[in-house]
Every structure is written in structure tokens, then in C-alpha cells.
Amino acid sequence: MLSRWEANHPPAELQFHLHRSIAVVSTLARKGRAAMATTILFPLLTLVAFIAFFTPLPSLPLSSHRPLNHHPDRSRKFEIADDKFWKDGEPFQILGGDLHYFRVLPELWEDRLLRAKALGLNAIQTYVPWNLHEPSPGKFVFEGIADVVSFLRLCQKLGFLVMFRAGPYICGEWDLGGIPPWLLEKSPALKLRSSEASYLQLVEQWWGVLLPLMVPLLYCNGGPIIMFQIENEYGSYGDDKAYLHNLVKLARRHLGDDIILYTTDGGSMTNLEKGTVYKDNVYSAIDFTTGDNPWSIFMLQKKFNLPGKSPALSSEFYTGWLTHWGEKVAYTDADFTAAELDKILSRNGSAVLYMVHGGTNFGFYNGANTGLNESDYKPDLTSYDYDAPIKESGDIDNPKFRALRSVLERYSAASLPPIPPNPEKARYGDVLLQRVETLFDGIEQIGNAVRSSIPLAMESVGQMFGFLLYASKYTTKGEGSTLFIPKVHDRAQVFISCSSEEGGPLTYAGVIERWSIKEIHLPYIPCASKLNLFILVENMGRINYGPFMFDRKGILSHVYLDNKILLSWKMYPVPLGNLNDDQGCNSLCRNARIGDNPVSLGTGINYTEPAFFKGHFTIHATDQVKDTFLSLDGWGKGIAFVNNFNLGRYWPSLGPQCNLYVPATVLLHGNNTVVLFELESPNAQHIVRFIDHADFTCGGMSTSKVHSS
């Protein structure tokens, strides 16, 4: 029996039609990338292989995505004049909110949009992550959670206008700011976000697929899109005006002159000088910290727009803030936030709430930030709740929703719909998991590894997300050895074992983290032959903002053993499913060994090698399937899957996120399967618990109040 998610997203080959000059076939089966021929096939890895995620919503057939020849409807016009927005000849105040289709399962899009409608919004703003839609070169995906056309049409059906943020860079706390990681493997290295010809060519190919799909969805053609954003906060990154000019020309070539193009930059002179192209008739919007004086910043905005072309717009009015692992969860006061919004709207300004609903960083797509250097690495949580008025699970019975609605209602052109109830949640109780396979149990059954004299980056072996296992050998010494890796992105767990026929237990030697590079002592182990050295490296999310965005993953330097370079490596990609993967089961699934044999380290630490844990729970046919939260209390760090759906990362030992949101659409009546890939220390009882609420109090974390009065 399939869950609703599985039933709506079957593995199949799908086609979509683009502009008449472009034919693109999108397939869900992994094509045979040469590098992926080296993928490991472990027992039980396919328990967590991701079932195809990209089929269209049933009510919005894929065939309707075919762009046609469109002639602008002159009765429909959205424009800027007299420092105002005008819709069909009438002044218009944008009451918008960011809601990202790729952070919400398609079955829940309508629910979340209706809640935004009840808040009082008349427009939705969304990013478009290039890396989700082109996961490998030339493979374009516009189905399932990537079905942006269906999302936009649903917005229109529900009465929303749309502000479309097509990048190619989006930031958004999303891996690499939405840029595909396979660009990092190009040689010579690309200069991202620049006018470099080789980079612009790839952007042109991507927009050559995306933008024709948007033509029938422009407001002048009867669709919902009123504005199209060029890049994002470019003034905070660079000053390559030729790059921005090229993007403008490319957008005009596909979309014509009737759509408002806009940029968004932080509200400072420096950012606006570098990030705006108003002389190309591109509207300059701004964002700023909630609590800053908005009207002094709007006055600055006028200097970077043509005369009469500068309506006051905060294109990112922050309702909350992001949270990294190891921080207190961000919190903003509801009344303060609502009062700051009223300061903008009361003088006929416009605002877009960032976020109105944050959603979830499912799979491996969370981004990261840095401090003063690239080693000061701060990965984002799986939850993207953002302390938004519509919570991650859709809840709106909260002070912030009520406070913002009370403000927005005063400026809405129509009466607001009733406030819907919170989505129902369920407690499905405790689930006992059994350790069914360690990462190293199937080492002898692995397929061909990538071999190299030196360690290669993840991108070099085609492993764009997740984990890569590095293996080498060395000769043991009586006093042990010292291991040093100068550059690891992002977290490496080190193990050793005897490689002779009699074998021996796997010994954990330590962890090397990007933010805490240190030497590791490899203890002496009696062995008639060389010792195996295993280094499991986790990509914890690429940097999405700032000067260190060229963020390749894996071991990025030589490995030094007793101050000498260690050569001769094998690299094994670990095939865990992501949002744009389809990896089916293989015969090794049936040969998984059942066992639970903790590794004895002799250090008093209860530590086991990375392993897969599996369990089942039942939802009776007489019970309604409801949203729930998977509590990982007592577990260490890893990845969680429910019914083959990658919920994302957990790390309750660090916090602050204690559990993972599980939408009802991934569950089913009858048997449900939970699989954890636990990296460190499993719960002593091997129990997970399904509860009915979110929890951000793990790791000694509670809340961090920002933007407070």
C-alpha cells in the first residue's frame, strides 16, 4: 500500500513541453552519469532511497504547461507611475508574503496559500532554486515539488498576484543560494554571479528553459506574475554591472517589455550603488532590519529609481529570522513586528512579509552562513519555521498571526476570509527501531570505487549532496599515529580497523569539523597487515550568502599522517535520496544482517559506528492520518526517513531543533516505516517518538529574541 505522497509521485518518465524552439525531456530515472557509476550499493541504503518526487498535481495537468503564442491583453496592466503601483489603472498597495513552493509539499500548497489569504495578503513572492530544477547538466525537472507552473496557477486561482524571484542566485538559506553544485566542478573554475562568459552561458541555458514557461503566466498575458526579480541582494556581494545588464537583456528577450523587472538590495547607499540598474528601467526595491526607520530608507530608495518610479516597497519585511544549529531559536515579538509593518502601510507603502510561511528544508537542501572566514561555518536548521505567522506545520493560532492580520485587515481592499483552524496533529507514540546495517557492513559488496592518488572533492566524484566515504591504508606504529587534514568541508568522522583476513573491530578515532580543525590520534592496533583508514565526510549544506560561496565539499586538501602526505585513496559515494533523486531498491536490500554490536572504544564513550536503524508503526484504517513530529530525543546526529521520504537532518545533541516535521501526506493507513541513518550515538533504548508539537529546546537552547523593542 502506498502513502498519498508515494501514490502521487510514482517513479516514471515524464515529459514537459517548453517554448516551441525548445524541447526538453525531464526524466525521473537517474541517467548514467559517469561519475555515478562509482556509487556504493550498501545493504539497507535503498531503504532510504528516495521515491520519485516530481509528478504534477492531479488538478493541474502537465500538458497545460505548454507555452503558447501570447499577445498582451491591454486591459490588464500592472505598472509604476507617480511613485505608486497601478493595477488596471487603479492605485495598488502590495500586501505580500514570501512562500516558497519548494519548502512545502504540493498537496499542502493550497492549504498554506489559503492561510496566507486569511492573514490578509494579496500577493505571493517566491524564489526559484536553479539547483532543484536542473540537478545535473541538461536534466530539467518541473514536476512534483518542482512544479512551479502549477504553484503559480494555484496562486492565481486563489486570487494572488505573484512576484517572481528567478535568480539565478536566490540566497534564501538554500544550498549554494540555489546555484547547482555541479557548476563548482567546471574547469577552469567558474566565477559565480559574474559576467564571465562561461557562467552567463549556463545561466542563459537555464533561463532559456524557465522563462518561456513564465510567458503565459505574466499579468499582461492573463497570468498572476506582476514583477520579475533580477538576481538577489547583489549589492551585498559584487559590483559587476555588466552581469546585471546581461540578466536584464536576457529577461527582456524572453518576457518582453510589459513586465516590471526589479532588484532587491539592503537599504544602504553602498548596497544600492552596487546592486541596482535603474537606468535599464529596472525598479530598485529594498529590504532592511525590522525596526529601522522605513521612511528614511524609502527616501534613499528614490535616488536609485527613475523619477516617479519609486513606490515605497520593503520587498523583505522580516517577520522572524533564521536559526543555525547550535544557536537559540530566533524569536521576534508579535506586537512589535505588527507595529513596524503598520508604519509602512499607514503611509501607503507596500511590504512583502519574509516569511509569511517558512516551511521545511527537506532532504539535503539547507544552506549555511559564515562569519569572518569560511571556517566560521554555520549550517541552517532543517526547519525553516522562521518564526513566521504561519508556522512550519501550518499553525496560525498564535499571537503573530493575529497581530499582523489586525494590521493587514485595515488596508485590505476586501473583507478577509475567516481564520481556519490549525491543522490537526497526532501522537503516534513510541517506535522501537532495530539496527539493521552499519555503514561498513557491506564494504565487501560495494561496487567500483573512485580511485585517486589524492582525495577528491565530492563534486569531482558526482556526489553533490550527503556523504562521501574516503578509504586508504597505512602501516601501524607502536605509539600510534597522528592524522591531520587541513581542509574538510564539513564534518569528518575517522575510523580505523585491521585489514588482514582475521579482521578486527572498527575503532572510532575522532571527528574533524570545519569550524574546529585539529589533529586526530590514531591508536595503535596490532595487525599483521596495514590498517584501514576510513573517513566519512558529511556535506552539511553549502554556503548561500557572502564572499565564501564557492563552497566545494569533502576533503579539500592533502591528508597528513605523521606529517607525511598519505596517498592512494578510494572514494565511495553514499547513495541517500534527495528531493531530485530516484534511486530504486536493489537485491542487496534483502540481504541485510540484523544485529546490534556497539563498537568498544575503550574510552568510556558509548559510541557506535554509523548505522541504519529501522522500525514500523501502524495507523489504523479507522483513524485519520494527521501531521506529526518525529522526536529524536536521545539520538545523536543523522538523517531521518519516513516511508522513503527524506525529512532532513537531525542533531538534538546540539540543538535547538529536537524533532522533525512529518506532513500527513507522507504517511498512510496501515504500516509505516521509519529509517534513521545515525552517525554517532543512538538512543539507549533505540526508540523514536511521534508527538504532536514542534520543539526547539534541545542542546540547552531555548529562544533568542531579536529585533525586539
Side-chain angles (χ1 to χ4, degrees):
M1 182 177 180
L2 297 179
S3 69
R4 281 171 287 170
W5 177 81
E6 291 172 312
N8 287 332
H9 305 86
E13 293 214 353
L14 301 170
Q15 292 185 339
F16 60 93
H17 300 282
L18 304 178
H19 194 265
R20 65 180 182 272
S21 63
I22 302 172
V24 180
V25 176
S26 174
T27 174
L28 296 177
R30 295 285 284 182
K31 297 302 182 184
R33 259 191 341 229
M36 291 307 293
T38 63
T39 300
I40 304 175
L41 298 177
F42 292 107
L44 261 294
L45 284 177
T46 50
L47 281 173
V48 295
F50 206 59
I51 293 177
F53 205 83
F54 299 100
T55 55
L57 292 172
S59 61
L60 297 166
L62 189 62
S63 60
S64 64
H65 290 193
R66 185 183 298 110
L68 304 173
N69 288 326
H70 284 269
H71 301 286
D73 181 353
R74 295 305 176 187
S75 67
R76 290 174 58 90
K77 193 167 187 179
F78 195 90
E79 59 186 331
I80 295 174
D82 300 326
D83 289 335
K84 296 177 183 178
F85 293 109
W86 297 78
K87 178 176 175 285
D88 303 332
E90 297 293 332
F92 187 82
Q93 186 176 36
I94 295 174
L95 308 176
D98 262 85
L99 195 159
H100 302 154
Y101 61 94
F102 47 90
R103 285 184 161 121
V104 181
L105 294 190
E107 296 87 346
L108 298 176
W109 285 344
E110 184 165 0
D111 175 85
R112 301 305 193 256
L113 288 169
L114 288 173
R115 293 171 190 274
K117 198 75 174 178
L119 183 63
L121 302 188
N122 58 25
I124 293 296
Q125 184 171 248
T126 187
Y127 287 128
V128 180
W130 180 6
N131 54 11
L132 181 71
H133 292 282
E134 192 178 4
S136 58
K139 175 188 175 181
F140 295 102
V141 182
F142 289 95
E143 290 82 35
I145 205 168
D147 189 355
V148 60
V149 171
S150 289
F151 176 77
L152 297 177
R153 287 182 172 163
L154 184 57
C155 287
Q156 183 174 22
K157 172 187 171 183
L158 299 178
F160 288 107
L161 301 174
V162 171
M163 301 167 69
F164 195 72
R165 315 178 84 178
Y169 162 82
I170 65 169
C171 186
E173 291 71 62
W174 192 256
D175 188 90
L176 200 57
I179 295 174
W182 49 264
L183 268 66
L184 304 180
E185 189 48 32
K186 294 288 184 179
S187 181
L190 296 177
K191 186 177 181 181
L192 305 180
R193 305 178 69 186
S194 78
S195 58
E196 182 182 80
S198 52
Y199 175 69
L200 279 177
Q201 182 180 13
L202 294 170
V203 173
E204 185 169 355
Q205 291 171 1
W206 157 230
W207 274 14
V209 172
L210 174 67
L211 269 55
L213 289 173
M214 298 303 110
V215 170
L217 298 170
L218 301 181
Y219 187 77
C220 62
N221 291 332
I225 300 176
I226 56 171
M227 297 171 67
F228 181 95
Q229 183 172 306
I230 300 295
E231 247 276 347
N232 188 49
E233 295 180 331
Y234 188 70
S236 301
Y237 178 81
D239 58 359
D240 185 348
K241 293 287 188 176
Y243 168 53
L244 298 178
H245 291 314
N246 272 283
L247 294 182
V248 171
K249 291 178 182 177
L250 184 58
R252 293 286 185 212
R253 183 193 313 164
H254 288 287
L255 304 178
D257 296 326
D258 293 317
I259 181 72
I260 295 173
L261 302 185
Y262 71 112
T263 56
T264 291
D265 286 285
S268 73
M269 181 70 75
T270 300
N271 290 337
L272 290 166
E273 285 176 342
K274 295 192 297 182
T276 59
V277 280
Y278 65 94
K279 293 181 180 179
D280 287 354
N281 196 25
V282 176
Y283 168 64
S284 304
I286 54 173
D287 57 41
F288 46 86
T289 301
T290 303
D292 288 352
N293 182 348
W295 289 97
S296 64
I297 301 174
F298 291 144
M299 289 300 295
L300 176 64
Q301 177 190 14
K302 284 181 177 291
K303 296 181 180 181
F304 295 91
N305 280 305
L306 297 174
K309 299 289 188 178
S310 192
L313 169 66
S314 172
S315 54
E316 291 189 9
F317 176 85
Y318 300 111
T319 61
W321 200 245
L322 61 99
T323 304
H324 304 115
W325 289 107
E327 296 177 349
K328 294 181 179 180
V329 66
Y331 163 76
T332 60
D333 181 77
D335 292 335
F336 169 77
T337 305
E340 293 301 311
L341 177 63
D342 194 49
K343 289 179 182 178
I344 297 173
L345 302 185
S346 63
R347 294 175 59 179
N348 295 319
S350 294
V352 180
L353 307 184
Y354 192 99
M355 300 287 297
V356 64
H357 171 59
T360 309
N361 294 319
F362 292 121
F364 295 114
Y365 275 112
N366 67 275
N369 294 103
T370 58
L372 295 178
N373 56 67
E374 65 176 348
S375 296
D376 187 10
Y377 173 77
K378 304 172 183 179
D380 297 316
L381 299 183
T382 298
S383 171
Y384 199 62
D385 179 85
Y386 213 83
D387 195 29
I390 304 173
K391 312 309 288 182
E392 180 181 15
S393 59
D395 287 2
I396 56 177
D397 185 10
N398 62 74
K400 187 169 289 182
F401 186 94
R402 291 189 291 270
L404 290 172
R405 176 182 158 102
S406 69
V407 171
L408 290 162
E409 191 170 23
R410 297 201 295 270
Y411 304 99
S412 176
S415 59
L416 302 189
I419 300 176
N422 287 341
E424 292 189 58
K425 316 291 192 308
R427 297 182 180 184
Y428 295 114
D430 292 354
V431 179
L432 178 64
L433 306 186
Q434 197 167 19
R435 193 174 87 160
V436 292
E437 196 76 28
T438 75
L439 183 66
F440 300 97
D441 281 339
I443 199 82
E444 298 302 326
Q445 304 177 54
I446 295 174
N448 294 329
V450 176
R451 297 172 182 265
S452 173
S453 60
I454 60 174
L456 300 177
M458 287 186 172
E459 294 83 3
S460 297
V461 298
Q463 184 73 357
M464 300 302 166
F465 297 95
F467 300 84
L468 186 64
L469 178 64
Y470 295 81
S472 189
K473 295 180 183 292
Y474 71 98
T475 302
T476 187
K477 296 167 56 177
E479 67 277 14
S481 295
T482 299
L483 179 75
F484 180 62
I485 310 176
K487 194 169 185 178
V488 173
H489 288 185
D490 298 303
R491 192 171 187 271
Q493 293 169 268
V494 181
F495 304 87
I496 59 175
S497 70
C498 182
S499 60
S500 60
E501 290 186 3
E502 65 271 16
L506 191 73
T507 299
Y508 168 69
V511 62
I512 302 172
E513 295 166 320
R514 174 176 182 165
W515 53 94
S516 181
I517 297 294
K518 60 184 179 181
E519 293 182 345
I520 294 290
H521 176 69
L522 305 181
Y524 170 74
I525 296 177
C527 185
S529 57
K530 288 188 174 183
L531 292 180
N532 291 315
L533 172 64
F534 298 110
I535 305 173
L536 179 65
V537 178
E538 179 184 5
N539 166 3
M540 294 180 59
R542 292 180 180 84
I543 295 166
N544 60 263
Y545 180 83
F548 307 112
M549 276 187 53
F550 201 93
D551 189 18
R552 300 176 80 201
K553 297 301 185 180
I555 296 177
L556 304 178
S557 65
H558 285 301
V559 174
Y560 295 88
L561 188 72
D562 298 325
N563 297 317
K564 296 181 180 179
I565 295 174
L566 182 62
L567 300 174
S568 187
W569 290 88
K570 297 179 183 178
M571 282 137 287
Y572 303 99
V574 181
L576 300 179
N578 202 8
L579 286 185
N580 45 12
D581 290 336
D582 172 40
Q583 302 183 52
C585 188
N586 61 72
S587 61
L588 294 178
C589 291
R590 298 186 292 271
N591 300 325
R593 297 193 295 273
I594 306 298
D596 189 6
N597 303 304
V599 177
S600 177
L601 304 177
T603 62
I605 301 175
N606 180 19
Y607 196 105
T608 57
E609 61 189 279
F612 293 90
F613 293 80
K614 179 183 178 183
H616 303 273
F617 67 101
T618 300
I619 301 177
H620 297 290
T622 56
D623 295 331
Q624 182 182 352
V625 178
K626 301 176 182 179
D627 290 356
T628 188
F629 292 86
L630 176 62
S631 173
L632 286 308
D633 183 38
W635 293 82
K637 186 182 194 303
I639 311 295
F641 299 79
V642 171
N643 294 333
N644 292 328
F645 182 87
N646 188 335
L647 296 175
R649 308 174 200 273
Y650 64 86
W651 201 357
S653 59
L654 182 63
Q657 186 172 357
C658 310
N659 52 29
L660 297 175
Y661 172 54
V662 184
T665 52
V666 307
L667 302 175
L668 60 137
H669 284 114
N671 184 59
N672 293 265
T673 302
V674 182
V675 173
L676 301 185
F677 179 40
E678 170 59 48
L679 298 171
E680 295 184 347
S681 51
N683 174 287
Q685 289 78 40
H686 290 185
I687 287 175
V688 296
R689 181 173 294 116
F690 286 93
I691 62 177
D692 60 2
H693 61 275
D695 186 356
F696 293 94
T697 62
C698 284
M701 302 298 168
S702 54
T703 60
S704 173
K705 184 176 276 192
V706 296
H707 304 325
S708 60
S709 56

